[in-house]
Amino acid sequence: MNLDFLEQERSLPEGNGHDQIVQWHVFRAREKAEQFAHHIELGEGQDLVGGWTRDSVGMLYWVGVHVDDLARWGNAGAVHKHGTRFD
């Protein structure tokens, strides 16, 4: 699995679905992001995306799924599904 996207600086997803990124999760450690990515099963029209950014504490790595059709994916209200704490 190619995880080169974790080397790119990218802002966190919008969280409203307009960027067509769903089910994204944020991690403090790159290794945790990599572990999470290896357990994602993609469907048709879906790609693994992510990157890194920073906040006042330090580095953040995120991994999510980009869908080509949000309506076909399903519940737009469930776009952003990660916990409130960073792993």
Side-chain angles (χ1 to χ4, degrees), residues 22 70-81:
V22 299
L70 194 60
R72 183 172 51 141
W73 175 73
N75 183 359
V79 164
H80 183 256
K81 285 187 144 183

Side-chain angles (χ1 to χ4, degrees), residues 6-84:
L6 288 174
E7 311 234 351
Q8 300 174 13
E9 183 174 11
R10 261 182 106 180
S11 298
L12 294 173
E14 298 171 4
N16 55 20
H18 293 276
D19 53 12
Q20 294 180 264
I21 298 175
V22 299
Q23 301 221 358
W24 53 280
H25 294 251
V26 180
F27 304 89
R28 287 281 175 201
R30 181 184 170 130
E31 297 78 28
K32 294 281 190 182
E34 291 172 352
Q35 289 172 2
F36 176 75
H38 285 294
H39 294 285
I40 296 175
E41 293 186 30
L42 298 172
E44 183 180 335
Q46 299 177 355
D47 295 298
L48 204 55
V49 294
W52 63 268
T53 190
R54 301 176 197 268
D55 67 5
S56 61
V57 175
M59 297 289 289
L60 296 170
Y61 296 91
W62 67 272
V63 176
V65 176
H66 180 268
V67 296
D68 64 356
D69 183 346
L70 194 60
R72 183 172 51 141
W73 175 73
N75 183 359
V79 164
H80 183 256
K81 285 187 144 183
H82 77 76
T84 56

